Amino acid sequence: MAALRIQTSAGPPELRRRNLASNPVHVGLDLVGFSSWMLPVGDHWCAGSAAVTSHGVGYVGAGRKNCHRACLKNGVVCSFDDSGVRVSMLCSSLPSEDVSFSSKMSLVNSTGFAQKKKGSKVWRRSQGGKKLVRHRAPKHGLGKDRHGHRSSVKDDDTDAVLSGISKESSIEECNSALIRLEKLSDEKALKFFEWMKVSGKLKGNTHAYHLALKAIAWKEDWKMAELLLHEMVADSDCALDARAFNGLIYVCAKRRLDAWATKWFHMMLEREVQPNLSTVGMLMGLYQKTGKLSEAEFTFEKMRNCNIKCVNAYSAMITLYTRLGLFAKSEDTINLMNNDGLVPNMENWLVRLNVYCQQGKMEEAELVLQSIVDEGFTLNVIAYNTLITGYGKSSDMQKANKVFDSFGSAGLAPDETTYRSMVEGFGRANIYEETILYYRKLKGAGFRPNASNFYTMINLLARHDDNETAAEILQDMRAAGCQCSSIVTFLVRAYGAVGRMHKVLPILQSCFDKILLDATSCSILVTSLVQNSLLEEALYILREKKWKDSAFEDNLYHILICSCKEGGNYNDAVRIYNQMPKSETHPNPRISCTMIDVFSTMERFADAETILLELKASASVLDMIAYSVIVRMYIKARRLKDACSVLAEMEKQKEIIPDKYLFLDMLRTYQKCGLLEKLADTYYWIRKSQVKCDEAMYNCIINCCGRAIPVDELSRIFDEMLQQGHLANTVTFNVLLDIYGKAGLFNRAEKVFIMARKQGLADIISYNTIIAAYAKGGNFLSMNYFVQMMQDAGFPVSLEAYNCMLDAYGKAGRLEEFASVLQKMKRAKCKFDHYTYNIMINIYGRRGWIQDVSNVLAELKDRGVEPDLYSYNTLIKAYGIARMPEDAVKLMQEMRVKGISPDRVTYANLIAALQRNENFLEAVKWSLWMKQTGVAGCGART
């Protein structure tokens, strides 16, 4: 290959760096390939020797070989940029003088930063801190464009190459021509390759296939490349090796086609082709650039399994982990590299330094710095900038300042990253004056602050209440081309965090007119003002805005109203709504629904219903959310019939499917209204819908629908709830106990009770419910067992439990136990209720013990308690049994005087009393009277 020389007189080239402080998420040095030992040129590997002069670099290729090296020596680096151009970079400096070191380490002096050794070279810049100059050489072929094609290929050139080629030419002569054509044009090279195939020059000719694969790769004709690999083995008896795939992977790496690079690598492994150092280096460099961690880890593992020693691969893994904040894995990779016995290069030392500096582990960072100098490497601007970043993260700005001051003695000039890191460090440490000082130094050096610097400065000034300097930063942001929305965002975040949102508007005066013209900036500012309870300022901006976008404006007002609602500032929401421009014919349904909810929460139901009527009168179609809000409004207003009417209207619209929350409201509404049929329909609707039942939904279904659906279905839904891992609440357990008890399913009831007790959810209602179930079933042994369990659980025997026992013993004719329970109640000083007296009247009446009934009535009146409907029904029945029909009729008249309306049971008991005493005519009269009054169920059964 002809020698390639690049001469420059424009000064030293630029060292490519990543800003280490600009983005805390993407941290780490992007340096793989910076000082790589293996530098690809096409499908070849070229060794280079470099001579440093005051004017430039001369790079001389040492010939075409399978494996050569290029290295960083005396400040000279030769590598390739992302577009495929070979770049030679010169970084040199004048010799520096001796420096002294502290006792802590020979590298780090008392100021805490690293110094260079005598006679060492450092990165040199011309014109004090200006960017280094980069010089580009052509890509893989001389005179080719970025796609691998020569922009203007002369026929004379190709004729000259092919003039001495014929079918009698040797394979070596054909290969030589193919090499020269590949430099001129991929198309010409591939055509000549096809001629070689026809002429039988490809049998065993691996080198020709490598050149053809490279040309096809630049065309990104991957299907043809795969066919050529197959042809290479099947038709030409060539063995696949790493070079065949490296040419393809090289193009993918240059163009950041990580998916294709991964595919070629996996194909390489599937065909049992051993990857080499170049393969790993290109892949790891690509994955570092594209951030493909999983692919990088796979490649890294294969590299170690194949015993390939690639320092840059370790650097890439460390950088990837550091960028993602996986510092523990970064440190593990460093330890792994040490255990594998690899010697770090400068790039690797820098990424190691960055790992510890990004964590603020400066003791470890200083040890790495010591090792860099001990190994004879020269500290450059990147190393110093990384140190400053580390000291900033550890809030040791005194040492960071001393590192900055050492730039001059080290023969270096601070660059953009240096100043930015200083601003970030002092800002993070909340050192007010120093942050402003370095911010102004940054601008004075001709550099521009980045977004992170602006945000740091605004936060600092907000904390220190420096509005004047904040206005200056605002001007800098505008000069840097920051959009109004970004400026407003910075300000409201910073000043809102310290409770000084009222200072934002005065700071924004210089660009206030532009903000009023920008819908995005207005919305950000107004939303922040509302969230900070500065309603007057927000309303002023809404009145003065100069942009027109009705849809955007509606969304903004909706966001503001929702913000007030979520913050509990309902009056503010009403004020915003009242200022909002409204359309009488086309109101915004979302805003209307939100305001209905707001007014409902404020219990201003008339205002809420007014908005509802406006919404219904418009052309707006109510959706599921609207119906949900309206139903909730009527529930809060305790207008359950209206809520049921709205639900009936919704059910007519078949396209509306309720969500979980609307289903819950439907169940609770129908339960309160006692609509068992509606509850059953809603339950089966839930089962058919796609709504996923959670714990709240299961509990609500059981609580509301338990009495509306069959017991077996209730058991199934309860078992399903438990299988899904959901927990029942106390109300659910009590509902199940009541339903199972009334259904006579005592085994199920007892299992539910034991479950509730184990979970600590059994309350006094639970005990009352299961005691009542056993009492009604006449199981006195179990009844007494649970009464004792109730006492053991720390609950006193309740009046409800005593009443159940009284009723059970009385109806069973066990009067001794009945009397015993009455004595226990009196000893416990239980206050009898209507139910207690009614039980006593009923039991005594059944026995015909009218005197005892009279005593109970007297006691009832002495306590100031009047008999209720059930009491009168029981007394009428008792007088009938005692053959005292006249007294029964008098009770009926007494009920009328007291305004108690008789029911079916009253008439039935009276008619039975008259029939029992052979007053059949009177019984018929009362029967006819019962029919005339419209009392349902006119039978005269007792």
Side-chain angles (χ1 to χ4, degrees), residues 42 51 161 443 474 520 531 535 551 600 663 716 788 839 887:
V161 172
K443 294 197 299 179
L474 186 64
T520 304
Q531 289 172 348
L535 186 62
S600 299
F663 272 130
R716 191 194 66 77
Q788 184 61 46
I839 291 171
D887 293 316

Side-chain angles (χ1 to χ4, degrees), residues 186-384:
D186 293 331
E187 296 289 345
K188 299 289 184 182
L190 290 174
K191 286 182 180 179
F192 183 67
F193 180 78
E194 288 298 322
W195 178 85
M196 290 177 66
K197 183 190 298 185
V198 174
S199 302
K201 305 293 184 181
L202 296 182
K203 204 70 173 177
N205 191 351
T206 305
H207 191 60
Y209 275 101
H210 290 170
L211 291 169
L213 283 168
K214 181 179 67 173
I216 289 174
W218 284 112
K219 292 166 63 66
E220 295 188 22
D221 189 349
W222 307 118
K223 188 173 183 180
M224 180 59 69
E226 193 169 355
L227 293 173
L228 198 61
L229 286 170
H230 177 75
E231 176 189 311
M232 180 179 176
V233 176
D235 298 341
S236 299
D237 296 331
C238 297
L240 288 178
D241 59 4
R243 285 188 64 193
F245 289 95
N246 285 353
L248 301 172
I249 293 173
Y250 173 73
V251 174
C252 294
K254 285 299 175 185
R255 295 183 176 172
R256 299 198 177 193
L257 304 173
D258 51 79
W260 277 106
T262 304
K263 177 182 177 181
W264 296 124
F265 183 56
H266 282 283
M267 184 184 295
M268 187 178 186
L269 297 176
E270 289 169 4
R271 301 193 180 186
E272 298 182 354
V273 176
Q274 179 78 5
N276 59 19
L277 186 65
S278 303
T279 313
V280 173
M282 290 185 291
L283 285 170
M284 294 300 292
L286 172 61
Y287 295 145
Q288 177 187 331
K289 292 175 184 176
T290 57
K292 301 293 183 180
L293 179 61
S294 59
E295 290 85 345
E297 288 177 328
F298 175 81
T299 306
F300 186 76
E301 182 183 359
K302 291 297 180 184
M303 176 199 75
R304 297 188 72 244
N305 291 340
C306 295
N307 199 29
I308 298 172
K309 306 293 184 181
C310 181
V311 176
N312 287 340
Y314 290 88
S315 300
M317 285 308 307
I318 295 169
T319 301
L320 276 170
Y321 285 137
T322 305
R323 285 178 186 168
L324 297 172
L326 305 173
F327 299 113
K329 289 192 173 184
S330 295
E331 294 183 27
D332 289 342
T333 307
I334 292 173
N335 295 330
L336 193 64
M337 180 176 173
N338 293 336
N339 294 335
D340 290 346
L342 273 74
V343 179
N345 55 19
M346 183 60 180
E347 170 197 336
N348 192 264
W349 283 121
L350 289 175
V351 296
R352 291 186 180 202
L353 181 66
N354 189 50
V355 169
Y356 297 115
C357 287
Q358 289 294 335
Q359 301 177 77
K361 294 182 175 180
M362 296 315 295
E363 291 185 5
E364 292 86 344
E366 288 167 354
L367 291 175
V368 172
L369 207 65
Q370 166 105 38
S371 300
I372 293 175
V373 176
D374 290 346
E375 294 296 325
F377 292 101
T378 300
L379 298 179
N380 53 31
V381 177
I382 296 176
Y384 280 86

Side-chain angles (χ1 to χ4, degrees), residues 492 501-502 504-505 512 515-516 521-545 547 553 556-557 559-561 563-564 572-573 575-577 579-580:
V492 298
M501 266 300 296
H502 60 283
V504 171
L505 283 183
F512 194 64
I515 291 173
L516 293 178
S521 302
C522 266
S523 63
I524 294 169
L525 182 56
V526 170
T527 304
S528 300
L529 290 171
V530 169
Q531 289 172 348
N532 286 272
S533 302
L534 298 172
L535 186 62
E536 295 298 335
E537 291 85 343
L539 294 176
Y540 168 74
I541 294 173
L542 289 172
R543 286 193 300 269
E544 297 297 322
K545 68 178 183 62
W547 51 271
E553 188 175 15
L556 174 58
Y557 274 103
I559 290 170
L560 296 177
I561 292 170
S563 178
C564 292
D572 290 350
R575 289 188 62 188
I576 293 171
Y577 175 74
Q579 180 173 304
M580 183 187 76

Side-chain angles (χ1 to χ4, degrees), residues 84-100:
V85 175
R86 187 189 302 115
V87 178
S88 297
M89 293 185 287
L90 170 63
C91 299
S92 61
S93 71
L94 298 175
S96 62
E97 298 180 356
D98 290 330
V99 294
S100 60

Side-chain angles (χ1 to χ4, degrees), residues 29 117 125 188 235 238 271 513 526 736 781 860 907:
L29 298 175
K117 291 185 177 181
R125 295 168 179 267
K188 299 289 184 182
D235 298 341
C238 297
R271 301 193 180 186
D513 290 338
V526 170
L736 288 168
L781 184 62
L860 190 65
Y907 285 107

Side-chain angles (χ1 to χ4, degrees), residues 391-617:
Y391 285 127
K393 287 185 177 292
S394 62
S395 298
D396 191 351
M397 292 312 297
Q398 184 178 1
K399 287 187 177 180
N401 209 15
K402 291 180 179 178
V403 173
F404 182 86
D405 293 339
S406 70
F407 269 79
S409 60
L412 301 172
D415 65 0
E416 195 172 32
T417 302
T418 313
Y419 288 108
R420 288 177 175 175
S421 298
M422 293 298 290
V423 171
E424 293 300 305
F426 278 113
R428 187 182 292 110
N430 199 25
I431 303 175
Y432 177 63
E433 294 180 356
E434 291 292 327
T435 307
I436 295 177
L437 173 65
Y438 277 100
Y439 176 81
R440 288 174 176 159
K441 283 185 177 181
L442 170 65
K443 294 197 299 179
F447 301 120
R448 279 190 175 183
N450 59 9
S452 181
N453 295 147
F454 287 134
Y455 190 59
T456 298
M457 291 300 299
I458 292 296
N459 274 285
L460 183 73
L461 297 171
R463 289 194 295 268
H464 290 269
D465 198 15
D466 186 350
N467 294 353
E468 186 176 341
T469 309
E472 176 191 337
I473 302 298
L474 186 64
Q475 293 297 330
D476 292 342
M477 293 176 73
R478 294 178 62 190
C482 291
Q483 296 181 354
C484 259
S485 57
S486 299
I487 295 172
V488 173
T489 301
F490 279 14
L491 283 172
V492 298
R493 284 182 182 175
Y495 281 83
V498 295
R500 293 195 174 106
M501 266 300 296
H502 60 283
K503 298 291 184 74
V504 171
L505 283 183
I507 296 173
L508 288 172
Q509 284 303 315
S510 61
C511 60
F512 194 64
D513 290 338
K514 290 188 177 181
I515 291 173
L516 293 178
L517 290 168
D518 181 39
T520 304
S521 302
C522 266
S523 63
I524 294 169
L525 182 56
V526 170
T527 304
S528 300
L529 290 171
V530 169
Q531 289 172 348
N532 286 272
S533 302
L534 298 172
L535 186 62
E536 295 298 335
E537 291 85 343
L539 294 176
Y540 168 74
I541 294 173
L542 289 172
R543 286 193 300 269
E544 297 297 322
K545 68 178 183 62
K546 298 177 182 179
W547 51 271
K548 293 187 181 296
D549 185 338
S550 57
F552 190 93
E553 188 175 15
D554 278 354
N555 289 332
L556 174 58
Y557 274 103
H558 188 227
I559 290 170
L560 296 177
I561 292 170
C562 289
S563 178
C564 292
K565 175 189 165 187
E566 290 169 4
N569 302 317
Y570 302 113
N571 289 321
D572 290 350
V574 173
R575 289 188 62 188
I576 293 171
Y577 175 74
N578 290 336
Q579 180 173 304
M580 183 187 76
K582 303 177 185 68
S583 171
E584 294 181 0
T585 56
H586 295 87
N588 186 298
R590 294 182 302 160
I591 296 176
S592 297
C593 289
T594 304
M595 287 310 301
I596 290 173
D597 199 22
V598 169
F599 281 128
S600 299
T601 305
M602 299 173 72
E603 297 188 356
R604 292 172 56 177
F605 299 110
D607 294 324
E609 200 160 16
T610 299
I611 297 176
L612 173 58
L613 294 175
E614 292 174 357
L615 191 60
K616 286 185 174 180

